[in-house]
Each structure stands twice: as C-alpha cells, then as structure tokens.
C-alpha cells in the first residue's frame, strides 16, 4: 500500500517536472486508477512514465503524453469531446473527468468492449465507446468542441476537421509510421456566416504512436 502511494506521488511529480501545470488535468491524472487499464503482466509498471502493450498489438499511451495532449485540448466542463483510438480506455477516462461528454471510437471490438466495461465499473458514465473506423469520425454526433486522435496519421483527415465545431481544438499525432511524428494542434476559428472556417496549425512535441489504420478491424 505504502509503495503504491509512493509510486503515485512520483507519477504526479514526474508530470509536473515535465511541465504539466493545468490543475484540472493533474487532478484527473491523480484520480483515474491507471492500474485498471493495463494488462496483468504490466501491473508493476502501471505508474511508470512509458507506454505499455495492450491487446491486439496496440499500446496504452505514456502518461506524460496523455497529460500533455489533454492539457493542449483546453477542455471546459461543458465540452463534448471525440476521441479516435480508445485502446485501453485510459485517455477516455481522463477526458471524462474534464468534459461533459466523451465519444470514443475504436476499430478493434475486443478493445472497445474491454474499455467499455472498465469505464462502466469505475462509474465514468459520460463516455460512449463506439466500434468503427475513426477515420470517418462519428458524424451522427458532430460537431465536437474538441477532438483528440491517439494514433499517428500520415496526414490530417479532413473528415475529422469537418466534425470540429467553430472555435474548436483538435490534437493529433502526424507523421510516418516509422519516422518522426509530432503532435499537431489545430484551432478552428470562428468565421463570419457564409465564409469557410480557417484552421490555425501549431506543431508541438515529437512523439511515437501506433498508426491510425483505415477501416474496422476484421478480427478481434
Ligand atoms: N487512447 C488509447 C491509446 C490507444 S493506441 C489509450 O489511452 O489506451 C491507438 C488505438 O487507436 C489502438 O487501439 C488502435 O486500434 C486504434 N486505432 C487505429 N486506427 C483507428 C481507426 N481508424 N479508428 C479507430 N481506432 C483506431
């Protein structure tokens, strides 16, 4: 128990030391039990600051990257957020503590179902996990105040920027599968009626993500 408390204190200290300063984000990172989202073999490393393997050859992202992307989203309590790449459900859990509602899309049914039951068991009832191709977004509920993609795209999918509300923010890792990837932050500016909305782009930190793949996964 004592060791657990030490590990979690260290976890938060590392995030702060690496520059995460948003209090609400730190609170969410403190509140969500990461050990509930990692696989049994990796329980000992649940609070270490690195990515870990999960089912279907995918990964649960590194805590620092989860906190960083969440901070960059500038979420307000009334926001509706779309996540592409549910994976373990951990990032969705963090988002659910900050936003009104989260819709998260995953192409592997197994991952989606596991994440859904983890989130329900923790009482995080404002998350809806959808099985499907996230490259198409989730148009039935669009537009979204915030969009986060947690798999690396070769280019920014226009389908997703189309589903971003005016004044909205999207963060997405962009780059080749085996090459340099960066978090890109896009802000959709409010425009006068009848004019095309403008996107302002900012290139942020270098990252390493599994690829955003087209279509729903056929197996698993
Ligand atoms: N956010 C996750 C990290 C998941 S890794 C977490 O907190 O654990 C990236 C995930 O994106 C993988 O589960 C992968 O299956 C999924 N993915 C990749 N391409 C996708 C697509 N087109 N639509 C939906 N999910 C996709």
């Amino acid at each position: 128990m004592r060791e657990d408390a030490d590990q979690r204190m260290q976890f938060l200290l590392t995030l702060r030391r690496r520059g995460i300063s948003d209090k609400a984000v730190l609170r969410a990172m403190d509140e969500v039990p990461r050990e509930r989202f990692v696989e049994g073999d990796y329980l000992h490393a649940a609070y270490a600051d690195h990515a870990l393997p999960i089912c279907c050859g995918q990964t649960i992202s590194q805590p620092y990257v989860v906190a960083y992307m969440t901070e960059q989203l500038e979420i307000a309590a009334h926001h509706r957020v779309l996540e592409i790449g549910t994976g373990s459900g951990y990032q969705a859990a963090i988002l659910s503590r900050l936003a009104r509602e989260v819709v998260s899309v995953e192409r592997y049914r197994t991952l989606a179902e596991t994440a859904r039951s983890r989130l329900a068991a923790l009482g995080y009832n404002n998350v809806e996990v959808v099985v499907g191709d996230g490259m198409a977004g989730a148009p039935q509920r669009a537009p979204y105040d915030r969009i986060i993609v947690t798999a690396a795209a070769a280019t920014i999918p226009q389908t997703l920027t189309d589903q971003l509300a005016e004044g909205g923010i999207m963060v997405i890792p962009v780059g080749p599968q085996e090459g340099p990837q960066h978090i890109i932050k896009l802000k959709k500016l409010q425009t006068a009626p009848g004019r095309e909305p403008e996107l302002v782009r900012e290139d942020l930190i270098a990252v390493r993500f599994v690829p955003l793949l087209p279509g729903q996964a056929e197996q698993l």
Side-chain angles (χ1 to χ4, degrees):
M1 263 343 255
R2 178 66 210 283
E3 204 175 293
D4 286 3
D6 282 354
Q7 269 184 4
R8 293 188 66 158
M9 181 134 33
Q10 197 56 49
F11 174 77
L12 284 179
L13 272 174
T14 303
L15 295 177
R16 283 173 178 277
R17 202 175 305 128
R18 295 198 63 180
I20 306 300
S21 60
D22 186 302
K23 289 211 168 54
V25 173
L26 288 166
R27 200 179 316 124
M29 296 294 295
D30 187 26
E31 202 178 304
V32 174
R34 185 168 161 92
E35 73 275 11
R36 300 281 287 269
F37 294 86
V38 305
E39 304 293 324
D41 288 352
Y42 297 96
L43 269 181
H44 64 279
Y47 289 94
D49 194 22
H50 44 73
L52 297 169
I54 56 173
C55 164
C56 314
Q58 306 304 314
T59 54
I60 172 172
S61 310
Q62 178 189 357
Y64 168 67
V65 175
V66 171
Y68 181 83
M69 290 177 83
T70 308
E71 190 170 56
Q72 291 297 331
L73 276 177
E74 304 172 32
I75 297 172
H78 65 276
H79 282 159
R80 212 139 59 77
V81 183
L82 172 67
E83 178 191 27
I84 307 303
T86 314
S88 69
Y90 180 67
Q91 172 76 72
I94 297 292
L95 297 169
S96 79
R97 304 300 81 206
L98 299 162
R100 177 163 63 92
E101 209 181 322
V102 180
V103 176
S104 183
V105 185
E106 171 55 54
R107 64 192 290 276
Y108 283 101
R109 183 170 298 281
T110 317
L111 284 172
E113 282 170 2
T114 310
R116 202 179 280 142
S117 55
R118 283 173 178 155
L119 292 161
L122 288 163
Y124 298 164
N125 298 323
N126 57 342
V127 187
E128 187 190 343
V129 179
V130 180
V131 181
D133 179 7
M135 280 193 177
Q140 65 282 10
R141 313 285 298 281
Y144 300 91
D145 303 298
R146 300 292 185 259
I147 299 179
I148 175 171
V149 182
T150 62
T155 56
I156 297 166
Q158 199 196 325
T159 331
L160 296 182
T161 54
D162 284 348
Q163 290 176 27
L164 188 62
E166 284 198 10
I169 296 177
M170 170 160 141
V171 293
I172 175 171
V174 177
Q177 202 170 322
E178 295 300 333
Q181 303 167 354
H182 287 87
I183 300 290
I184 307 299
K185 178 173 180 174
L186 297 169
K187 270 192 196 180
K188 194 182 259 192
L189 300 186
Q190 230 114 29
T191 41
R195 305 232 351 230
E196 274 295 299
E198 193 187 329
L199 289 169
V200 177
R201 172 180 169 145
E202 214 183 319
D203 291 30
L204 304 171
I205 59 168
V207 284
R208 200 86 214 99
F209 272 88
V210 294
L212 183 70
L213 297 172
Q216 193 182 313
E218 279 174 21
Q219 280 154 4
L220 299 168

